Amino acid sequence: QVQLVESGGGLVQAGGSLRLSCTASGGTFSTYTMGWFRQAPGKGREFVASLAWTSTSADYTDRVKGRFIISRDNAKNTVYLQMNSLKPEDTAVYYCAAKRKASISYGYWGQGTQVTVSS
């Protein structure tokens, strides 16, 4: 059973930066595609970024392109989300997720970490 634990959320002023971390246990981390999602109050969960297990293919929602960077350290079973130039509309609970190779959907989710950006 794969377990994902996020950390690094908090309160930051607009224009600031935060780095989220997600550490996995219980699975073969290096073979999973890792993703970050977020859910703002009153809204559905939305995709933020993903990084394939090869680390050669990263995808981002247009809302964060040029501001957020996803990376991973397979030796530490950890995926990161560096968030720069934060905006109030980035306020949300951020979730880490893992997808097995050849899977269509993300099957493992973390508990989420709150990011609040003040104006």
Side-chain angles (χ1 to χ4, degrees):
Q1 181 71 13
V2 175
Q3 292 186 324
L4 304 174
V5 179
E6 302 100 332
S7 62
L11 173 64
V12 64
Q13 288 189 332
S17 298
L18 281 174
R19 188 177 80 156
L20 305 183
S21 300
C22 171
T23 300
S25 61
T28 310
F29 176 81
S30 61
T31 66
Y32 296 153
T33 290
M34 300 301 297
W36 286 97
F37 293 76
R38 66 187 181 185
Q39 186 166 17
K43 296 188 178 180
R45 189 172 297 185
E46 71 167 336
F47 169 80
V48 175
S50 67
L51 183 60
W53 65 280
T54 58
S55 296
T56 58
S57 176
D59 290 313
Y60 299 91
T61 177
D62 287 345
R63 297 175 185 267
V64 308
K65 277 182 181 177
R67 299 189 297 122
F68 291 11
I69 300 171
I70 187 172
S71 62
R72 64 192 295 164
D73 185 339
N74 288 340
K76 296 182 178 180
N77 286 0
T78 300
V79 62
Y80 304 97
L81 186 67
Q82 178 67 44
M83 305 186 294
N84 302 318
S85 302
L86 282 162
K87 305 175 181 180
E89 51 263 44
D90 293 319
T91 295
V93 177
Y94 283 71
Y95 297 90
C96 171
K99 181 169 63 173
R100 293 180 182 273
K101 284 175 63 176
S103 292
I104 296 175
S105 60
Y106 288 85
Y108 306 100
W109 293 84
Q111 82 289 350
T113 186
Q114 177 71 46
V115 172
T116 302
V117 184
S118 63
S119 57

